Amino acid sequence: MKKTTGFDRSKTRGWHPATQAVRGGTWRSEHGETSEALFLTSGYTYDSAEEVAARFAGEAPGMTYSRLQNPTVAMLEERIALMEGAEACRAQATGMAAMTTALLCQLSAGDHIVAGKAAFGSCRWLVDSLCPRFGIETTVVDGRDNDAWEKAIRPNTKVFFFETPANPTMDIVDMKRVCALAKAHGITTVVDNAFATAVLQRPLEFGADVVAYSATKLMDGQGRVLAGAVCGSEKFINDVLLPFQRNTGPNLSPFNAWVVLKGLETLDLRARRQSENALAVGKFVESRVPRILHPGLASHPQHNLAMSQMEACGPIFSFVLEDRAQAMAMLNALELVDISNNIGDAVSLCCHPASTTHYSVSAEARADMGVVEGMLRINVGLEDPRDVIADLDQALTKVGL
Ligand SMILES: *Cc1c(COP(=O)(O)O)cnc(C)c1O
């Protein structure tokens, strides 16, 4: 295959993320197709026995098996790396495969990890339940509290792990401060950037070492496939992550990689428009509910910090009603917005985190992170925000708000 733009880093490095999202990593076959080719193949054939031996020995370029390399997946990895400003990226089957790989590839029994307490339910499960089973010590801290991160450091602390904004409480971590603290102690920072993506927030620019994704969310953005990715330095990806990934196999399928490649083409447009829509909807909701957690609104206690790290607020926010009964009644009254626990989708979706995304987290952990029974989380899509507001208006009225 002829390598065209995208793999020549010297030409593409300076492009802005929106350009990378459309062109970065494009690798055309001899047919010169405009749309990225889908290489639905598990293996490869070789011209000679010596050729395959040389490839396995790393002495000749070329692919050997799709758990190790695949052209369509490689295009996606290159595109995500270029958007992120990262040296390298590897794609995984799901966001949770990405988080598990990003953590376990670098941790061993006896190591210590510090994690932000507000996190997606399965991310909390990795920290609370999986790591301790393998002898990895864990501490969860209030990610908003810079001193708490510092106090939690032990001689064996290897990793800081957090989301910002966090799912679903929209807590913000001061990336510059927390990443600098980690660096000073030789700790690797892993940031789950699913709520923002590189279009809205680039953690590496704030000193993060590793950025991990659920590409299921804004990157696909149309509710079609599960996917994940981990970005970092070439050294981290090649020496630390790849030996783990190649031998344990959490790989992304070429078909799903192709779907996400097409999703990335419109990511910049969608992320910005959905952020605008979420701001308009948030302003309306704020006027009607007891409490709202929205990084784009001045009422968010960390609004200034959020906006200093993000180009726009993103499509997701949460709000708190009286109790579970009222929250459930509001969900049931929705006519346009769907009840769904997905996010980042082009359609507006609303869910009750305590009984869905955070059901697997213990009641104590839920209370500790602020996932209260009356909380609802909304993903604002690409509909005209006036229609979303009208729907929320009638549903709030039905539940007496
Ligand atoms: C959804 C999500 C994940 C998990 O991603 P999957 O693709 O569903 O496995 C991890 N972190 C955050 C913040 C998420 O929102």
Side-chain angles (χ1 to χ4, degrees), residues 359-379:
Y359 180 72
S360 69
V361 172
S362 71
E364 302 80 66
R366 272 202 299 275
D368 184 41
M369 70 170 95
V371 179
V372 293
E373 288 293 325
M375 179 182 281
L376 292 174
R377 186 197 68 194
I378 186 166
N379 168 76

Side-chain angles (χ1 to χ4, degrees), residues 262-327:
K262 305 318 287 178
L264 289 180
E265 290 181 1
T266 55
L267 174 61
D268 192 84
L269 277 174
R270 288 184 285 103
R272 289 178 202 281
R273 175 64 75 87
Q274 287 181 241
S275 294
E276 276 172 31
N277 292 355
L279 200 53
V281 174
K283 281 177 184 158
F284 164 77
V285 171
E286 183 169 40
S287 71
R288 292 282 288 277
V289 301
R291 193 162 163 241
I292 185 166
L293 308 160
H294 190 316
L297 295 176
S299 59
H300 190 294
Q302 297 174 290
H303 169 67
N304 291 338
L305 174 63
M307 291 302 106
S308 73
Q309 300 182 154
M310 303 174 78
E311 289 189 25
C313 64
I316 303 142
F317 67 88
S318 297
F319 52 99
V320 180
L321 305 188
E322 233 19 80
D323 50 24
R324 176 186 281 237
Q326 193 181 42

Side-chain angles (χ1 to χ4, degrees), residues 94-97 99 120 123 163 167 192 194-195 213-217 226-228 343 377:
T94 67
M96 285 323 302
M99 302 308 151
F120 179 62
C123 293
E163 309 168 8
N167 186 356
D192 178 343
F195 268 42
Y213 278 108
S214 169
T216 313
K217 311 294 169 56
L226 300 186
I343 50 169
R377 186 197 68 194

